[in-house]
Amino acid sequence: MLLLSCSAGNDSVAMIQLAHEGGLASVCPVHVCYIDTGWAASFWAARVDAVEALSRRYGFEFHRIRRGETFEELMLRKKGFPMPGKTWCSYELKGKVFNEFSAEIDPSAEAIVCIGKRRDESPARKDTPEWIDHDEFHDTRTVWHMLAFVAEAERNQIILRSGMPILPHRSQECSPCANANRRDFKALTEREILRTAALEQATGKSMFRPYHHMGATGIRQVIEWAHSPRGKYEPEHDGCGSGYCE
């Protein structure tokens, strides 16, 4: 049995395509697992529909898994947001849920877990091994980083063979993501900005650290920062708040 961890992004589609081209469904059951965080971009449901259709066309089982806390519920429980690069939300919302689902569908822990990490994604992933035997995080299952040695250009060619479009951005299963960049902020819809602002108000915290965004505090100011020329943003201040200067 293969368990493909799927975000519905570019690397996930490439992994699904390679599994199909390798004829893996004729060897063992292939399960594609998408975790619904409850915080996806407005358009992402259509993307997941398309990835599900591709998976089923190839004879794979597709699972949309929604259980436990949503992103909003987790942030309220934690009373704040993760820092960039230290996204504990990924484990809480996805890793833990994926492992729970794996235990149900593969109680003997004999399945191979497939993850779409690539070495050329970032310096942090440059030593990603193709195989990990008896991975403790995945309850001793074998992990296969199917794309470990696949560069971006090659990955894009694989995606094109699937008939799926190549996205100009990473997965939008969480929008905004704690690791969002300037381009991600510019792409946010008013709905996504409003729900982020509401969550910031509920937690009493800014989702994005001001010192990473030239002092921008709160999602509205971060959006202004994203649309400002680089190095030119200056946040508006409400004054001292004493009441004597009204």
Side-chain angles (χ1 to χ4, degrees):
M1 178 187 298
L2 293 181
L3 300 176
L4 275 64
S5 177
C6 173
S7 69
N10 285 327
D11 291 337
S12 293
V13 171
M15 189 166 55
I16 291 168
Q17 181 65 21
L18 285 183
H20 165 65
E21 293 177 357
L24 298 183
S26 64
V27 178
C28 64
V30 178
H31 298 265
V32 181
C33 310
Y34 173 79
I35 311 295
D36 183 356
T37 67
W39 192 250
S42 305
F43 68 90
W44 201 242
R47 170 72 176 188
V48 177
D49 288 345
V51 173
E52 177 175 5
L54 177 71
S55 301
R56 295 196 182 281
R57 186 161 72 247
Y58 290 161
F60 304 161
E61 286 291 324
F62 190 91
H63 306 270
R64 298 185 194 222
I65 306 164
R66 176 77 175 271
R67 61 179 67 182
E69 294 175 300
T70 64
F71 180 89
E72 291 167 282
E73 291 167 341
L74 177 61
M75 297 307 113
L76 289 170
R77 177 167 66 83
K78 292 284 191 178
K79 298 181 174 62
F81 301 92
M83 294 180 65
K86 299 180 180 180
T87 45
W88 40 260
C89 51
S90 179
Y91 169 73
E92 293 286 344
L93 296 171
K94 296 179 59 183
K96 188 160 65 174
V97 174
F98 180 84
N99 283 347
E100 290 171 356
F101 176 79
S102 299
E104 293 170 7
I105 198 170
D106 175 44
S108 59
E110 295 176 351
I112 295 175
V113 174
C114 300
I115 300 173
K117 284 185 181 179
R118 294 185 300 107
R119 285 188 165 203
D120 77 344
E121 282 184 89
S122 68
R125 294 186 172 182
K126 66 181 178 63
D127 296 320
T128 297
E130 184 175 2
W131 294 92
I132 301 176
D133 294 324
H134 305 291
D135 185 57
E136 292 300 324
F137 180 80
H138 291 284
D139 299 326
T140 73
R141 293 179 181 84
T142 295
V143 170
W144 182 10
H145 294 123
M146 197 183 296
L147 305 177
F149 295 98
V150 175
E152 183 176 343
E154 182 184 356
R155 181 208 63 185
N156 289 347
Q157 290 302 312
I158 295 169
I159 294 171
L160 290 176
R161 295 199 297 269
S162 76
M164 292 283 290
I166 299 168
L167 298 176
H169 51 70
R170 57 190 165 189
S171 169
Q172 298 294 298
E173 60 193 327
C174 279
S175 183
C177 170
N179 291 314
N181 57 32
R182 188 181 293 265
R183 182 175 62 182
D184 296 329
F185 291 127
K186 288 180 178 180
L188 290 178
T189 64
E190 182 62 18
R191 169 184 171 273
E192 290 151 9
I193 294 169
L194 283 171
R195 71 177 180 179
T196 304
L199 189 53
E200 288 180 329
Q201 184 174 14
T203 60
K205 304 284 180 63
S206 178
M207 183 170 177
F208 301 99
R209 301 308 191 266
Y211 59 82
H212 287 312
H213 306 94
M214 297 186 67
T217 303
I219 187 62
R220 288 290 182 190
Q221 286 195 2
V222 170
I223 296 298
E224 293 174 6
W225 165 84
H227 284 88
S228 299
R230 289 185 181 275
K232 300 296 184 181
Y233 175 74
E234 291 186 13
E236 292 184 7
H237 298 286
D238 294 329
C240 66
S242 69
Y244 296 112
C245 302
E246 298 298 321

